[in-house]
């Protein structure tokens, strides 16, 4: 049976899924109040997630990042109004700095309970928060081609979005601890590299046949085809700490997609069509550990270079699309994240100044409310 992919006449439109934390206004601890917020807001663009201390905001189909911002902010305003009525604060980093995953309460859903039964402790640890970005594709063949392109940018996206340095009150030493929580699952982490849509179909049906998955929903790769929507879904990013950072990371994805749409052949003259697994793994690890300070390996030449230099290079490369899409402020934000520090860097600075994890939590809430980074 062939897996149908919804072909999109209009490619490179966007859809975004944003996960946020629900916090007690006084203690800033996670609280299981998602059902209360959902009861007040009653919006199809606001949904429950695996744990009751999490909500997910979902956009419609958006032409560009400006549409994404308008869509998310419309929902977020209603969420904040509900939060005021219920004495709930919100944050959006990849992990809550001190939360104990053992205290999380599962949302009511047969699927979530089935996952818990199957994956046990691995599911209980999934108290993490991310950003998922869908890019519309013309067909499945194009989706695989774009996925292989974006595999080269996993380190870039990890580094810019990194916002999960703390886990249960401990500094992990990582720029992003969230990806390490995901990778423990058997159908998570780096995707299996395939050459085309036919090869992906064989892989998908083999996974079904042996019981590794029951549907596409069970594939939690860093990025994956989403045939029902006709999109490539990029799932690697930590939850950006602020709306401006979210917009900027989505803008980078959109800019790279536009560039590759017209320069794909040029790219593959200089880079591997299907990147080697060990290099993908090593580059991902380096970004998890060092963030924007990482050094990454070129897939074709094995040259090692600073990740920050690669980000700057690509921001220059996509400059015509930056002007066309009016993304200049998002590019400026990405340059600031390199020069002044991503969320993980900022959280650590707060901790080093105050030696108080509550101050870090307060900082994260304040940044989210403000909508842009507070440079320290």
């Amino acid at each position: 049976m062939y897996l149908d992919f919804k072909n999109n006449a209009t490619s490179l439109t966007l859809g975004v899924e944003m996960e946020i934390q629900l916090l007690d206004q006084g203690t800033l601890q996670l609280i299981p109040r998602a059902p209360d917020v959902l009861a007040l807001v009653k919006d199809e663009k606001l949904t429950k997630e695996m744990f009751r201390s999490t909500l997910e905001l979902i956009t419609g189909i958006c032409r560009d990042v400006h549409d994404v911002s308008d869509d998310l902010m419309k929902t977020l305003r209603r969420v904040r109004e509900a939060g005021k009525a219920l004495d709930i604060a919100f944050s959006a980093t990849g992990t809550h700095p001190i939360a104990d995953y053992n205290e999380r309460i599962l949302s009511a859903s047969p699927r979530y309970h089935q996952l818990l039964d199957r994956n046990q402790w691995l599911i209980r640890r999934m108290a993490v928060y991310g950003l998922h970005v869908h890019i519309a594709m013309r067909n499945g063949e194009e989706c695989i081609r774009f996925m292989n392109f974006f595999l080269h940018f996993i380190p870039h996206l990890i580094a810019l979005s990194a916002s999960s340095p703390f886990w249960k009150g401990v500094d992990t030493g990582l720029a992003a601890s969230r990806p390490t929580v995901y990778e423990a699952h058997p159908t998570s982490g780096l995707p299996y590299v395939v050459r085309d849509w036919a090869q992906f179909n064989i892989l998908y049906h083999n996974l079904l046949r042996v019981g590794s998955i029951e549907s596409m929903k069970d594939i939690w790769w860093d990025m994956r085809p989403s045939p029902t929507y006709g999109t490539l879904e990029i799932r690697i990013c930590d939850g950006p700490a602020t709306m401006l950072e979210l917009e900027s990371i989505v803008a980078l994805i959109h800019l790279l997609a536009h560039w590759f749409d017209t320069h794909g052949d040029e790219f593959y003259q200089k880079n591997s069509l299907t990147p080697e697994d060990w290099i993908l793994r090593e580059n991902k690890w380096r970004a998890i550990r060092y963030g924007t300070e990482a050094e990454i390996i070129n897939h074709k030449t094995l040259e090692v270079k600073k990740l920050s230099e690669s980000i700057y290079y690509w921001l220059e490369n996509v400059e015509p699309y930056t002007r066309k899409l009016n993304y200049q402020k998002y590019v400026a934000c990405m340059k600031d994240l390199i020069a002044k520090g991503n969320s993980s860097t900022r959280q650590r600075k707060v901790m080093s100044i105050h030696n108080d994890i509550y101050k870090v939590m307060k900082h994260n809430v304040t940044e989210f409310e403000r909508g842009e980074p507070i440079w320290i």
Side-chain angles (χ1 to χ4, degrees), residues 19-72:
E19 296 172 343
I20 60 173
Q21 307 166 18
L22 279 65
L23 312 174
D24 180 90
Q25 191 72 252
T27 66
L28 302 186
Q29 293 273 18
L30 288 172
I31 49 175
R33 302 284 305 278
D36 300 331
V37 177
L38 289 167
L40 280 182
V41 175
K42 294 179 181 175
D43 188 330
E44 63 180 8
K45 291 186 175 180
L46 183 68
T47 66
K48 67 183 178 183
E49 258 296 331
M50 187 174 298
F51 296 109
R52 295 185 190 181
S53 50
T54 309
L55 284 170
E56 184 175 63
L57 285 70
I58 303 170
T59 71
I61 298 172
C62 300
R63 294 169 300 173
D64 55 28
V65 178
H66 308 297
D67 280 357
V68 168
S69 179
D70 290 343
D71 197 323
L72 288 175

Side-chain angles (χ1 to χ4, degrees), residues 346-356 359 376:
R346 301 194 302 272
Q347 290 180 57
R348 285 197 170 104
K349 285 184 178 179
V350 172
M351 188 63 179
S352 68
I353 292 169
H354 299 285
N355 194 30
D356 183 348
K359 295 285 188 182
I376 301 165

Side-chain angles (χ1 to χ4, degrees), residues 3-5 111 143-144 147 187 197 200-201 203-205 207-208 213-221 223-229 231 233 235:
L3 183 63
D4 288 329
F5 189 95
R111 171 171 162 76
C143 184
I144 297 302
M147 185 165 77
T187 55
W197 184 243
F200 176 79
N201 261 272
L203 170 62
Y204 174 70
H205 286 289
L207 291 170
L208 282 174
I213 61 172
E214 293 185 3
S215 72
M216 280 296 302
K217 289 183 178 180
D218 296 326
I219 296 178
W220 293 354
W221 295 341
M223 57 185 71
R224 68 183 182 189
S226 187
T228 302
Y229 297 111
T231 63
E233 181 184 2
R235 304 162 50 86

